[in-house]
Amino acid sequence: MTDRLPRAAIIDGKAIGAKIRAEVAEEAARLSGQGWTPRLVSVSVGDTAAAELYVRNQQKQAEGAGVAFEARSYPQETSLEQLIGILQGLNHDPRVNGIIIQRPLPAHIPVKALQKAVHPLKDVEGMHPASIGNIVYNDLALGPCTAVAAVEILKTLPLKIEGLDVTVIGHSEIVGKPIAFLMMGLGATVTVCHHMTRSVAMHSRAADAVFVAVGKPGLVTGDMIKPGAAVIDIGINRVDGKTVGDVDFASVAEVAGWLTPVPGGVGPVTVATLMKNAVLATRLQMEHYRDAYAKTDI
Amino acid sequence: MTDRLPRAAIIDGKAIGAKIRAEVAEEAARLSGQGWTPRLVSVSVGDTAAAELYVRNQQKQAEGAGVAFEARSYPQETSLEQLIGILQGLNHDPRVNGIIIQRPLPAHIPVKALQKAVHPLKDVEGMHPASIGNIVYNDLALGPCTAVAAVEILKTLPLKIEGLDVTVIGHSEIVGKPIAFLMMGLGATVTVCHHMTRSVAMHSRAADAVFVAVGKPGLVTGDMIKPGAAVIDIGINRVDGKTVGDVDFASVAEVAGWLTPVPGGVGPVTVATLMKNAVLATRLQMEHYRDAYAKTDI
């Protein structure tokens, strides 16, 4: 008797992330040469311990890619009005090209109010309603990093995305829905399932590619997947001290054609996408600035 | 032998539109009483003959609902810069609560550039990227009229929308995609099909409700519909001098549970929705104005 080998090819998110970061570093160097070194400001509020490791990782990745990074922390009692004032200051500061709002925020700070206060051209997290709308409109825009990362991973596979039957499990505003319209924009036929869906399995079994972003370990099992399908696992859950996704890895790996691991799948690509948004935002601001000043040359 | 009666209940769009207009008239009267009579400005550019009947109908409906309506026409040779200036003037004019950009526009005027120039609070057509993004975020927002109208029609039927399997055929930015987000926001399981979909019939036959917005007469036939399903036909096509939808009416009426006719289905509800957006926009502006001035009372 031999061990059964998993059938699915395990997708290497670290390698995809590294490739994106190398492209970002090149673009950041080009921008620096034109006097526009990309610069991110991270805003944390209150007890920052929860996000500290995450912020430090962003900082490390940014600096490795030639993107300047400044981490700011504000006390727990900072008011919403003060924070919006701080964001408006960052919006108007030409040395700041991107603003990251770290979660969790104190309970008295509604995250959407802050996301809306970030200028759309500096919205490197892709959370402003206008950023979401621009994606729906298929315009070049700063997309929500996790959703963009998940789609970028699918694009590395040898699948023709036009006409591909795709099922997205989870309809959150920052992951599930943006994945759905990014995939629609690429020509896929997309179904979005969620906790009110009668039979998720019926829809997932019909799909050539399944994205899962719910936050429930073991939610997707092998019997819910069409043999050979691509499965992109966006869940991040802590189980018995270990980080796992939403996919029951063992059973899905026996059926799927491709599968992202957790950790090491979507995560590293998400941070790389944040850096890609940083250089894109910087380029958009540079062009906007030049357009504005070109007019006075007439 | 007797004539076979169509099985589907034919949905009366005119009656639904009239009900919405009656609610709009009440709200418009309330706003008028507070000094905020809703007022729409319609902007036509160039050869306006194509849209004239349409504009006149909007005007009639507006006036019937207590919404002031001013139709403006600009010459064919008006530049994009001039039009954006005109829109900025309307944005800043407190007597204007909503702006409608009539199509078709001259070839040198990109419609999206104008739609983006309308202030989101005056965007009664629901076309600004921020309006679309707000729908994705499930915020109270001015939605694209046709999409909102189609969804409002479905909501009049005795169907539980949470968990309903819905297929949208057509993925345009102003109809198909917004319908998808609106239905997701209501808890439906939504699949979006389009010209790249391998088998539209496979998806439409699995659906409890089908929205069709493609612009191809006869695209959807009875064999593509699950018995008893609701079919909302958003197509408007001219065939042999007659206006028809995208649905093959005779065959679908024998299978569907409910069906909108064309004309007399989504159309009248769309114009009523524009008026509903006009009063909603006026209320949002009133509140915004009061919030702004309340601050100086301190």
Side-chain angles (χ1 to χ4, degrees), chain B:
Chain B
M1 223 169 90
T2 54
D3 287 333
R4 275 169 77 191
L5 284 175
R7 202 197 132 200
I10 305 306
I11 295 169
D12 184 351
K14 282 185 196 165
I16 298 171
K19 189 163 169 286
I20 294 172
R21 270 204 314 285
E23 293 162 5
V24 167
E26 273 181 40
E27 169 75 348
R30 261 194 300 275
L31 287 162
S32 286
Q34 297 174 281
W36 287 81
T37 301
R39 184 152 167 270
L40 293 173
V41 171
S42 152
V43 173
S44 301
V45 187
D47 177 21
T48 54
E52 205 186 323
L53 196 72
Y54 192 64
V55 175
R56 225 182 308 147
N57 182 37
Q58 287 180 345
Q59 178 142 25
K60 207 182 75 186
Q61 303 261 341
E63 288 168 358
V67 173
F69 190 98
E70 182 192 342
R72 296 193 188 177
S73 292
Y74 296 92
Q76 173 78 21
E77 59 275 16
T78 315
S79 70
L80 175 61
E81 287 71 25
Q82 285 172 320
L83 286 169
I84 287 179
I86 288 160
L87 293 175
Q88 285 168 343
L90 296 172
N91 285 341
H92 286 102
D93 186 340
R95 295 159 303 180
V96 175
N97 305 111
I99 302 167
I100 305 167
I101 297 164
Q102 304 294 347
R103 268 100 33 197
L105 290 163
H108 68 285
I109 304 295
V111 61
K112 276 188 197 171
L114 292 194
Q115 285 165 344
K116 279 191 191 181
V118 173
H119 191 284
L121 284 181
K122 299 196 176 185
D123 178 29
V124 288
E125 294 187 288
M127 296 296 191
H128 192 283
S131 302
I132 304 278
N134 278 324
I135 288 183
V136 177
Y137 273 148
N138 263 342
D139 279 356
L140 173 78
L142 302 164
C145 300
T146 307
V148 170
V151 170
E152 286 300 313
I153 289 175
L154 189 73
K155 283 163 73 179
T156 67
L157 305 182
L159 292 169
K160 186 167 180 284
I161 292 185
E162 289 193 358
L164 202 73
D165 278 306
V166 171
T167 293
V168 179
I169 307 175
H171 68 335
S172 76
E173 292 147 4
I174 60 167
V175 186
K177 284 183 189 170
I179 288 175
F181 303 133
L182 289 167
M183 292 307 301
M184 280 181 214
L186 294 170
T189 303
V190 181
T191 300
V192 180
C193 299
H194 42 72
H195 64 281
M196 288 170 276
T197 297
R198 290 182 207 142
S199 168
V200 173
M202 186 188 92
H203 293 287
S204 63
R205 265 198 296 263
D208 308 304
V210 176
F211 294 89
V212 198
V214 173
K216 272 197 185 160
L219 178 73
V220 173
T221 46
D223 59 324
M224 293 169 68
I225 298 298
K226 185 203 276 191
V231 179
I232 313 291
D233 186 356
I234 302 149
I236 298 179
N237 311 287
R238 293 292 291 177
V239 174
D240 302 333
K242 273 183 62 182
T243 299
V244 298
D246 289 349
V247 163
D248 178 56
F249 195 85
S251 68
V252 171
E254 283 185 21
V255 180
W258 297 270
L259 173 59
T260 57
V262 178
V266 176
V269 185
T270 299
V271 190
T273 302
L274 180 66
M275 300 310 147
K276 195 172 173 179
N277 277 351
V279 292
L280 176 57
T282 304
R283 180 160 291 283
L284 292 173
Q285 287 160 50
M286 185 178 81
E287 287 166 1
H288 190 68
Y289 180 90
R290 290 186 174 170
D291 285 351
Y293 283 85
K295 282 179 191 152
T296 65
D297 291 345
I298 298 163

Side-chain angles (χ1 to χ4, degrees), chain A residues 63-260:
Chain A
E63 288 168 358
V67 172
F69 190 97
E70 182 192 343
R72 296 194 189 176
S73 292
Y74 295 93
Q76 173 78 20
E77 60 274 16
T78 315
S79 71
L80 175 61
E81 288 68 27
Q82 286 172 320
L83 286 169
I84 287 178
I86 288 161
L87 294 175
Q88 285 169 344
L90 296 172
N91 285 341
H92 285 103
D93 186 340
R95 294 158 304 178
V96 175
N97 306 112
I99 301 168
I100 304 168
I101 297 165
Q102 303 294 348
R103 266 102 33 197
L105 290 164
H108 68 284
I109 304 296
V111 60
K112 276 188 196 169
L114 292 193
Q115 286 165 343
K116 278 191 190 179
V118 173
H119 191 285
L121 284 182
K122 299 194 176 185
D123 179 29
V124 288
E125 294 187 287
M127 295 297 190
H128 192 284
S131 301
I132 303 281
N134 278 323
I135 288 182
V136 178
Y137 274 151
N138 263 341
D139 279 355
L140 172 77
L142 301 163
C145 299
T146 307
V148 171
V151 170
E152 286 301 312
I153 288 174
L154 190 73
K155 284 163 73 177
T156 66
L157 306 181
L159 292 170
K160 185 168 180 282
I161 292 184
E162 288 193 358
L164 201 73
D165 279 306
V166 171
T167 292
V168 179
I169 306 175
H171 68 338
S172 75
E173 293 148 4
I174 60 167
V175 185
K177 284 183 188 172
I179 288 175
F181 39 74
L182 288 166
M183 292 306 302
M184 282 180 211
L186 294 169
T189 302
V190 181
T191 300
V192 180
C193 299
H194 43 73
H195 64 282
M196 289 170 275
T197 297
R198 289 182 208 143
S199 167
V200 173
M202 186 188 93
H203 293 288
S204 63
R205 265 197 296 264
D208 307 306
V210 176
F211 292 89
V212 198
V214 173
K216 274 198 184 161
L219 178 72
V220 174
T221 46
D223 59 325
M224 294 169 66
I225 297 298
K226 185 202 276 192
V231 179
I232 313 291
D233 187 354
I234 302 149
I236 298 180
N237 311 288
R238 294 292 292 177
V239 174
D240 302 333
K242 272 182 65 184
T243 300
V244 299
D246 290 348
V247 163
D248 177 57
F249 196 85
S251 67
V252 171
E254 283 186 19
V255 180
W258 298 271
L259 173 59
T260 57

